[in-house]
Every structure is written in C-alpha cells, then in structure tokens.
Amino acid sequence: PAHGEELPDVTLPAPLHDQEVSTREFVGQGETVMTFIYTRCPGPCPGMTAALAHVFVDATDQGYSDEVGLMPTTFDPKYDDEQRLRKFFERNGVDPTAENWLALRPETPEQADEVVNGEFGVGFERTPGGGGHGGHNTTQGETLNPSEGDYDFTHVNLVLLANRDGYVERAYQ
C-alpha cells in the first residue's frame, strides 16, 4: 500500500502470543508499524528489527507503548518457527512476548507469498543456498547449503507506518 491507502486487513497467527492477529489490530487505538523479515537474513532484516526495537524501547520508556503496535512479519514460515522467531527478536533487543510486539507468521510459504507479495506488495523471491545475499553465513551462524535444500531470499526492505485510522502514513525502504 502507498501513502494514503488503507492498510490491508489480513489475519495471521502470532505464535509468540498464541493467537490470531489482524494487521489492523490497532486501528482506532494507535499507530501500527510493520516490517517483513526472515530470521536467517544476514543483512537488512536484523537491522530493520533493531530499528523497530528502538521504537519499542522508546515507546515503553516514554509511556506511549499502548499507542503503537509493532508487527514484524516473516515471509519464511517453513524455517521461522516459534523458537527461531523468539531467539531472533531477543537477539535484536526485543521482548518478543510484549503486548504491543506481535510477530506474525503465515502458516505456509504459499500464504506468505499471498500476504506479503500479494496484499502488501513487498517483493521477495526464494533463491537456492544464499543467492540473495551472496551465499554466506546467516545470522543463525549457519552456512547455507543448496545441495541440502537450504535457501535464501532476495527481498525488498520495507517498514510501513499506518495511523490510528488504518491508513498508511509512511513507507520506509
């Protein structure tokens, strides 16, 4: 969605909260900040998550945490299970079970494509064994091995800010 367009209304599992969450969960209550990540990303995903962590910490310290919802969404549900999401967010400075930090995880790669590419227009493409970032170690300390079915992603980096009325105010790349 572009500036002034309504944030798509998609409901996805939030496994760290054991519930289903709408991407418009905070409409009427506060602003929504979304980004799209995968936990094995060796580059921009940890950086974007750390930036959201700063917003999270500031919101908590300054007393406006109930006015903002942060929703990082994985597009790699095949690998990014509950445990990996939890570790990824903790490593990047976030309490992953905080009330306003709702990590969303599509149930299948097909649903991830439908939601992230289709609904939000955030391009990503699965590539064998690290084609998207040069085939090096990931943030998990693992080396991708295409002969064993490992994969990486080439993807667009995007942070969306939607106002409390549910309309996109900013899209940061």
Side-chain angles (χ1 to χ4, degrees):
H3 177 266
E5 292 181 356
E6 200 167 21
L7 189 68
D9 188 7
V10 177
T11 299
L12 293 170
L16 301 177
H17 288 82
D18 196 28
Q19 67 185 54
E20 296 274 319
V21 173
S22 166
T23 54
R24 296 177 45 94
E25 188 85 11
F26 293 96
V27 170
Q29 302 173 46
E31 280 61 39
T32 301
V33 181
M34 292 189 73
T35 192
F36 305 89
I37 55 98
Y38 72 110
T39 64
R40 291 196 287 182
C41 181
C45 297
M48 287 190 307
T49 302
L52 285 188
H54 289 294
V55 172
F56 173 81
V57 169
D58 187 68
T60 302
D61 290 349
Q62 300 299 318
Y64 65 93
S65 62
D66 59 341
E67 296 177 35
V68 64
L70 300 121
M71 293 187 194
T73 304
T74 181
F75 48 83
D76 186 15
K78 186 174 178 179
Y79 183 82
D80 292 344
D81 61 17
E82 181 178 340
Q83 180 182 7
R84 287 181 176 116
L85 287 169
R86 180 181 312 280
K87 286 180 182 178
F88 178 79
F89 296 127
E90 287 172 348
R91 225 181 8 261
N92 286 288
V94 176
D95 172 2
T97 61
E99 214 172 287
N100 63 331
W101 184 274
L102 297 166
L104 305 181
R105 180 182 176 265
E107 295 184 62
T108 64
E110 295 77 22
Q111 185 184 34
D113 183 55
E114 179 183 308
V115 169
V116 178
N117 268 331
E119 294 289 333
F120 287 93
V122 177
F124 70 92
E125 183 177 0
R126 186 173 153 164
T127 57
H133 295 288
H136 42 48
N137 288 347
T138 69
T139 58
Q140 299 286 334
E142 304 166 15
T143 300
L144 295 174
N145 186 343
S147 66
E148 293 179 13
D150 283 347
Y151 54 89
D152 197 358
F153 290 94
T154 299
H155 61 95
V156 171
N157 303 309
L158 183 70
V159 176
L160 289 174
L161 169 63
N163 63 29
R164 63 186 61 233
D165 295 324
Y167 291 89
V168 174
E169 289 286 335
R170 301 277 187 275
Y172 304 97
Q173 287 194 339

